[in-house]
């Protein structure tokens, strides 16, 4: 909770710093706090949802996972339909109209993790057999494919998070290696289909060779990071954010942090993500039941994989992906879904439990889900401990 609040505070400061000057210049004296106000509004919505889910959310998760997944798949499919999906900056990733737009891929990412956790908890032996894993893999590939058609970065986060979840579930490494090889081939094919993706893939190797076109954003990000030094130019003193670096308040906000706060600021930010990773894995280790353990591991992996992919992108270690920095970058749907994920993590940490078990003799088809919730108060909140949940 402390790390999350610190990241939200840092996000509000840096979104304002990265967007205010450019907004004023572009609008000839417009409101420099426009993005800050929106960020705070979305953060408040997400914070309320996080609080509600941390108290009551886990007991509904297993019941509504399948309907949620179906709705998210339909919404993501609608994004691909011309005239329905909203195009912003050349990418069609949104639904809605005007200020009421949202990104279905962020909802689908959350729903796929929930679905994978449910399947792995009900049928733990499927990780040991590729044949039994086919139903889960088919749904995951379909969902990731829908997202990858317009948003390869979010699709990669989904794939990495699901692979981490399979590791937590005990999948043999030889199967994971095969999945990774197949995934690499798919990414290469998708890059070859879309010319702009191929440009990103090739320009990443040497962005300075085409610094005015395909390598422009990567080059400006590296200049911003390099000019910050150890302690930075000072908060609000970035030059790159005004005239040179595109999407400074979203995908490349880490470069502005590096320019204004230096290596020290970036290190503190990464330390906060490290705290979330440590706390999430400890929650997974101490959770009651396979479902709680896997859900904590899956949600933690989803957050950390996104943070790592954005960091590697800004540092020039991987091609541009368009993935926002968790809790820091401006992005309504992403921020709200991340806070909802933190609410589930806190619910598990406070003793929430969902028992998901297969009926005798139903390892391959019939399943039964039995959900009970423990007292939501922390350990030791009642004398004599909590009443044990029965499965």
């Amino acid at each position: 909770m402390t790390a999350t609040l610190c990241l939200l505070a840092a996000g509000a400061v840096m979104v304002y710093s990265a967007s205010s000057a450019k907004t004023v210049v572009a609008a000839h004296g417009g409101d420099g706090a426009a993005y800050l106000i929106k960020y705070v509004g979305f953060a408040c919505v997400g914070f309320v949802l996080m609080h509600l889910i941390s108290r009551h959310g886990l007991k509904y998760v297993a019941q509504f996972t399948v309907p949620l997944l179906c709705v998210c798949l339909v919404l993501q499919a609608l994004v691909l339909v011309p005239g329905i999906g909203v195009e912003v900056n050349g990418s069609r990733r949104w639904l809605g109209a005007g200020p009421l737009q949202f990104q279905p891929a962020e909802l689908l990412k959350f729903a796929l993790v929930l679905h994978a956790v449910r399947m792995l908890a009900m049928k733990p032996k499927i990780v040991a057999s590729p044949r039994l894993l086919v139903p889960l893999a088919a749904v995951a590939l379909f969902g990731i494919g829908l997202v990858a058609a317009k948003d390869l970065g979010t699709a990669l986060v989904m794939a990495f998070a699901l692979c981490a979840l399979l590791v937590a579930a005990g999948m043999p490494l030889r199967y994971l290696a095969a999945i990774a090889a197949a995934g690499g081939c798919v990414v290469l094919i998708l890059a070859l289909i879309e010319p702009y993706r191929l440009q990103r893939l090739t320009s990443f190797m040497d962005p300075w060779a085409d610094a005015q076109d395909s390598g422009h954003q990567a080059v400006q990000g590296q200049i911003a990071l390099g000019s910050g030094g150890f302690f930075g130019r000072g908060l609000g003193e970035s030059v790159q954010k005004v005239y040179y670096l595109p999407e400074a308040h979203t995908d490349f906000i880490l470069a502005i942090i590096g320019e204004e706060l230096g290596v020290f600021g970036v290190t503190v930010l990464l330390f906060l993500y490290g705290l979330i990773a440590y706390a999430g894995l400890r929650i997974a280790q101490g959770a009651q039941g396979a479902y709680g353990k896997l859900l904590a591991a899956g949600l933690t992996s989803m957050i950390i994989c996104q943070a790592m992919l954005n960091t590697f992108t800004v540092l020039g270690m991987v091609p541009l992906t368009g993935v926002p920095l968790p809790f820091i970058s401006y992005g309504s749907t992403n921020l709200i879904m991340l806070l909802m994920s933190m609410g589930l993590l806190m619910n598990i940490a406070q003793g929430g439990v969902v028992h998901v078990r297969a009926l005798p003799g139903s390892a391959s088809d019939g399943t039964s889900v039995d959900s009970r919730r423990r007292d939501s108060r922390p350990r030791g909140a009642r004398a004599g401990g909590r009443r044990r949940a029965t499965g």
Side-chain angles (χ1 to χ4, degrees):
M1 184 66 172
T2 301
T4 303
L5 291 176
C6 289
L7 287 170
L8 287 174
V13 172
M14 294 312 304
V15 164
Y16 176 70
S17 176
S19 64
S20 57
K22 189 173 182 178
T23 303
V24 170
V25 170
H28 303 288
D31 184 8
Y35 283 106
L36 172 64
I37 294 172
K38 294 177 183 178
Y39 176 92
V40 172
F42 295 136
C44 289
V45 172
F47 197 79
V48 171
L49 292 174
M50 180 181 73
H51 176 71
L52 293 175
I53 290 174
S54 70
R55 295 177 61 85
H56 308 292
L58 192 60
K59 62 182 178 181
Y60 300 113
V61 165
Q63 301 175 30
F64 297 104
T65 294
V66 174
L68 175 63
L69 179 62
C70 293
V71 170
C72 290
L73 289 172
V74 171
L75 292 175
Q76 185 60 37
L78 290 176
V79 171
L80 306 180
V81 179
I84 297 180
V86 179
E87 187 171 320
V88 178
N89 294 331
S91 298
R92 192 164 66 242
R93 303 178 183 177
W94 291 265
L95 288 178
L100 300 177
Q101 295 181 7
F102 69 99
Q103 198 169 349
E106 296 294 340
L107 280 70
L108 182 56
K109 177 173 63 177
F110 180 73
L112 265 183
V113 170
L114 295 182
H115 176 69
V117 168
R118 183 175 181 271
M119 291 290 292
L120 292 171
M122 287 196 302
K123 303 177 182 180
K125 293 183 179 180
I126 64 176
V127 294
S129 171
R131 180 178 61 84
L132 296 177
L133 194 62
V134 168
L136 174 59
V139 174
L141 289 174
F142 180 67
I144 292 173
L146 284 177
V147 175
K150 293 298 179 182
D151 187 355
L152 186 57
T154 302
L156 288 174
V157 173
M158 295 164 67
F160 293 151
L162 291 177
C163 286
L165 187 55
L166 291 175
V167 172
M171 171 170 278
L173 292 179
R174 63 181 183 275
Y175 297 154
L176 285 171
I179 292 173
C185 293
V186 171
V187 170
L188 182 59
I189 292 172
L190 290 172
L192 294 174
I193 291 174
E194 291 286 352
Y196 81 93
R197 288 177 182 160
L198 185 60
Q199 277 189 337
R200 286 184 174 185
L201 193 62
T202 54
S203 65
F204 137 77
M205 304 301 295
D206 185 14
W208 293 87
D210 193 9
Q212 299 301 318
D213 190 9
S214 61
H216 177 72
Q217 192 172 21
V219 165
Q220 298 305 322
Q222 291 178 21
I223 292 174
L225 286 169
S227 61
F230 192 81
F231 290 108
R233 294 175 177 269
L235 190 61
E237 298 299 320
S238 168
V239 175
Q240 297 299 115
K241 67 184 181 184
V242 183
Y243 302 107
Y244 305 103
L245 181 62
E247 307 300 331
H249 61 295
T250 56
D251 304 347
F252 267 69
I253 197 168
L254 184 65
I256 304 303
I257 294 174
E259 185 179 7
E260 295 187 351
L261 303 178
V263 174
F264 178 78
V266 174
T267 303
V268 171
L269 185 68
L270 296 180
F271 174 74
L272 292 174
Y273 288 124
L275 284 181
I276 289 180
Y278 174 73
L281 294 178
R282 283 200 63 185
I283 291 170
Q285 187 179 33
Q288 298 295 320
Y291 188 91
K293 291 179 182 293
L294 290 173
L295 183 58
L299 294 174
T300 303
S301 299
M302 182 181 71
I303 296 170
I304 299 306
C305 286
Q306 182 175 325
M308 290 177 62
L309 188 58
N310 178 276
T311 302
F312 291 161
T313 298
V314 175
L315 293 178
M317 300 171 65
V318 297
L320 299 181
T321 57
V323 173
L325 189 63
F327 303 108
I328 303 293
S329 296
Y330 174 81
S332 57
T333 315
N334 181 259
L335 180 59
I336 291 173
M337 297 310 298
L338 286 171
L339 289 172
M340 290 174 63
S341 300
M342 293 304 299
L344 280 177
L345 277 174
M346 288 190 289
N347 189 263
I348 298 170
Q350 293 170 358
V353 62
V354 175
H355 291 305
V356 182
R357 64 184 183 185
L359 291 173
S362 60
S364 61
D365 45 13
T367 58
S368 172
V369 179
D370 179 23
S371 305
R372 307 289 174 87
R373 192 185 188 286
R374 292 179 181 263
D375 186 349
S376 62
R377 287 178 289 180
R379 296 177 182 270
R382 279 195 299 183
R386 298 184 301 276
R387 175 174 55 83
R388 295 186 66 83
T390 56

